[in-house]
Amino acid sequence: MDCIVAKITDIIFHNDSNAYTVAAAETEDEEITVVGNLPMPDPGRTFRLEGEWKNHPVYGEQFAFSSFEEVMPETAEGIEAFLASGVLRGIGRKTAAAIVSKFGKDTLRIIEETPTRLTEIEGIGPKKALAVEAAYRAHRELAEITIYFQQFGITADYVIKLYQVYGSNTIFVIQQNPYQLVDDIFGIGFRKADALARKLGVPSDDEYRIKSAVKFVLMYYANEGNTYLPQAMLCEKTAALLEIEMSEISDILVRMAFEGDIRIENLEGSTVVFLQAYYMAEQNVCKRLVGLCGARLRPVGTDVGSMAEQVAAETGIQMSENQKFAINAAISNGVTVITGGPGTGKTTIINTIIRLLKQSGLEVAIAAPTGRAAKRITETSGYAASTIHRLLEYYYSESENCMRFGKTEEDPLDADAVIIDEASMVDLMLMNALVSAIKPGTRFILVGDADQLPSVGAGNVLRDIIDSELIYSVRLTEIFRQAKESMIVVNAHRINRGEYPECNEKDKDFFMMRRQSEKEMLATVIELCAKRLPAYYKDFLPVRDIQVLTPVRKGTLGCINLNRELQAVLNPPRADLAEKKYADRLFRVNDKVMQIRNNYQREWKKSDFSEGTGVFNGDVGFVHDIENEFNRLVVVFDEDRYVTYEFSELDELELAYAVTVHKSQGSEFPVVVMPVSWFPPVLATRNLLYTAVTRGKTAVVLVGSESKLNAMVDNNRITSRYSGLCPRLRQFLEKVTPDGEQA
């Protein structure tokens, strides 16, 4: 292993995500090229590098370093170059020259020990002097912390995140409990924290390790949709993860329950374990729904049937008896569920209910889980709808370091009725926030398709509410005449009944292009998106209006590879299109992208100068600009909501030419294209196919094997979720006597 001291003179390449750097540097003897992971490699800084010389076949001799340590300059010239490098905010070349001219070799000592002396320099006041001292101290601390953690394989970008959270206490906090990282740092999971802990010598049966693993396993299964796990299963999974005996976990579970991290409960004769937050949410949702069901409602102005007939006459819409029944139920009950597939008139019912309530002078709040679904309600009803988050006035609490809602039990929604569309997408935690903000006496109307995939988040809320039989539910089954003309609608219902879809009828909207190999399927999907569909639907733009859906993320037909291939043909490299490579992703101006996690703090601005915060998992936009000189990328969502991302924050974005079916929930696209091949049976299911098909508005094109398509229809496997909401609601039902009184 060789060791050199080199001053960075120019940056040839730098990756913000992992700090990989190729830089020109100079030693006492020569100019060289150095390569390795180096955070903030500003020209003018000097480093002691350990590594070895390598001969690159294209770029020649390079020094590949595996560790580094900054060498603080000692000469006046070196100090001036260091300050002028931009490493300390507020000091440019002119100010750096003035400071060094005044203090010479003592400059850094004065900044560190007596920063108030900087006010002797013209243009530096007391506030700026202290800011320079704080920046220098932070720089030195970060350098020491980076050196400490590089021995454990923690990359520079994560070190910066650690320092932002823990500051000067970073090393102490991690030495005390490295598993704290899992709770505090996005992107550091249990496995990474555990690897660090083992290098620090933490024993395998350490209490912090077992507690963190228990929470990791519960959260892993929560991300799979479960609100709890059977205790035996939890112990088995945790023991396997830690490679310890199950008996060592049981005692820790009891301790965690006493400390309030988890809840151990007997549910339907089985001992189960919840993360405390999910247990409290289930309890509260159940209590609130029961309360809303039993509350006295503000009456409507006249007979509901007569009003419904009047609305039908004014709108020219002929309603079925079942639709009228659903409307009457929504007006008459505290909580009502209206469910049905495409073409069964859910939109007509929503619009009629709104008009009935408005005519009676009642305030109606209308919302959906996603911005796209809310926009669709507004377009079809003429009434303003919002996302559930905006309805509840979400905000980020700096003091609590988490998201909060402005509308709560203490300050509830000022509405006589709350209508939620696309209710199958609502997970337990969002439902908990929603029902907490609805005051008794408010009509709560849930509209959705219970046969679609359940929510991405934990819980099985809509299905649990229906199955409990406590809440009044109406299922719509009749397909209306106009909807029957669409094979998308007809085939969606056929699939839902377990019947094979009818494809390629002349002048219809549902097609199957039969291909056998995945290579052929991939080529056909690309050709459809780039040429054939845009040529046929001339008003549609390939990137904006054609959406590829797939059940999986990985493999030839997974969204990762599909995005790579589609980007190459739909938005190829051009000299005038800036681009940025981040980890395994390449972003280019005009790319279609998706936000992949909720960020309640993310700021956005509109061209009318209005602004706000919050970008959510599943939001789709387009890369508007990439400013490499400023290390930032701008995405426009909803045509006029501009969001800026630092390059280090690009882990929140993915390409979205192709997305998984799960991610498409709540959306509607002019044209849907989906490959149909062998997929894992847990994903190649009837309700996944049903969900995909119902996303298409003008056309659905399936590409692949008819036998695999039929196998998906035959696979009516509904992945069961561990959810306690249904049995909790049933417990209330069992306590009610036939005359409606509590037993």
Side-chain angles (χ1 to χ4, degrees), residues 510-677:
F510 195 100
F511 309 96
M512 176 81 184
M513 301 191 70
R514 293 169 177 81
R515 301 291 185 272
Q516 291 305 312
S517 73
E518 291 197 343
K519 185 177 179 181
E520 290 177 309
M521 295 177 201
L522 176 62
T524 302
V525 168
I526 293 169
E527 183 189 12
L528 283 166
C529 294
K531 296 179 181 178
R532 296 179 63 169
L533 288 170
Y536 188 79
Y537 298 100
K538 298 187 185 300
D539 294 335
F540 290 166
L541 298 176
V543 176
R544 186 193 67 188
D545 297 318
I546 301 172
Q547 183 62 59
V548 177
L549 302 182
T550 176
V552 296
R553 286 185 54 79
K554 297 180 180 179
T556 303
L557 299 175
C559 61
I560 295 173
N561 185 60
L562 282 167
N563 274 315
R564 190 181 300 118
E565 298 283 350
L566 289 165
Q567 182 192 47
V569 295
L570 297 177
N571 190 30
R574 279 190 353 218
D576 61 331
L577 294 182
E579 56 185 46
K580 170 63 183 175
K581 185 161 180 31
Y582 180 87
D584 61 347
R585 306 166 201 171
L586 176 66
F587 297 105
R588 185 175 295 129
V589 170
N590 297 332
D591 272 338
K592 187 178 186 179
V593 294
M594 175 182 282
Q595 175 82 10
I596 58 172
R597 73 178 181 96
N598 291 336
N599 188 327
Y600 305 100
Q601 293 177 284
R602 179 71 63 201
E603 297 178 350
W604 52 261
K605 295 181 180 179
K606 291 188 175 183
S607 53
D608 62 1
F609 303 108
S610 61
E611 55 186 46
T613 59
V615 184
F616 300 104
N617 185 5
D619 284 355
V620 173
F622 296 87
V623 177
H624 176 73
D625 195 11
I626 296 176
E627 303 170 343
N628 284 296
E629 64 273 29
F630 299 111
N631 293 331
R632 63 193 183 198
L633 178 150
V634 181
V635 177
V636 57
F637 294 97
D638 304 325
E639 300 179 357
D640 192 32
R641 195 159 54 103
Y642 294 86
V643 179
T644 299
Y645 296 81
E646 299 296 326
F647 283 169
S648 60
E649 300 169 328
L650 294 182
D651 56 352
E652 295 186 13
L653 293 175
E654 282 185 353
L655 294 176
Y657 299 96
V659 301
T660 62
V661 177
H662 282 83
K663 286 285 189 182
S664 73
Q665 288 177 264
S667 301
E668 191 175 73
F669 310 103
V671 181
V672 163
V673 178
M674 184 173 124
V676 180
S677 182

Side-chain angles (χ1 to χ4, degrees), residues 281-291 725 728-729 732:
E282 273 194 1
Q283 291 282 86
N284 189 59
V285 168
C286 184
K287 182 183 77 172
R288 295 277 175 182
L289 287 175
V290 171
L725 184 59
R728 291 190 202 285
L729 288 169
F732 277 90

Side-chain angles (χ1 to χ4, degrees), residues 44-114:
R45 294 172 67 183
T46 300
F47 296 90
R48 181 176 291 105
L49 307 173
E50 287 191 358
E52 55 186 22
W53 292 97
K54 292 185 176 179
N55 193 35
H56 192 280
V58 177
Y59 301 108
E61 191 174 49
Q62 299 175 333
F63 187 77
F65 61 91
S66 55
S67 65
F68 66 88
E69 179 180 359
E70 184 167 14
V71 178
M72 298 307 295
E74 297 179 352
T75 66
E77 181 186 32
I79 293 171
E80 183 176 337
F82 168 76
L83 294 179
S85 70
V87 70
L88 302 185
R89 287 184 179 271
I91 298 182
R93 293 185 179 278
K94 188 175 179 180
T95 305
I99 294 173
V100 175
S101 174
K102 174 73 174 177
F103 300 117
K105 294 180 180 180
D106 291 332
T107 295
L108 297 182
R109 180 183 60 80
I110 285 170
I111 290 175
E112 188 170 17
E113 297 177 2
T114 55

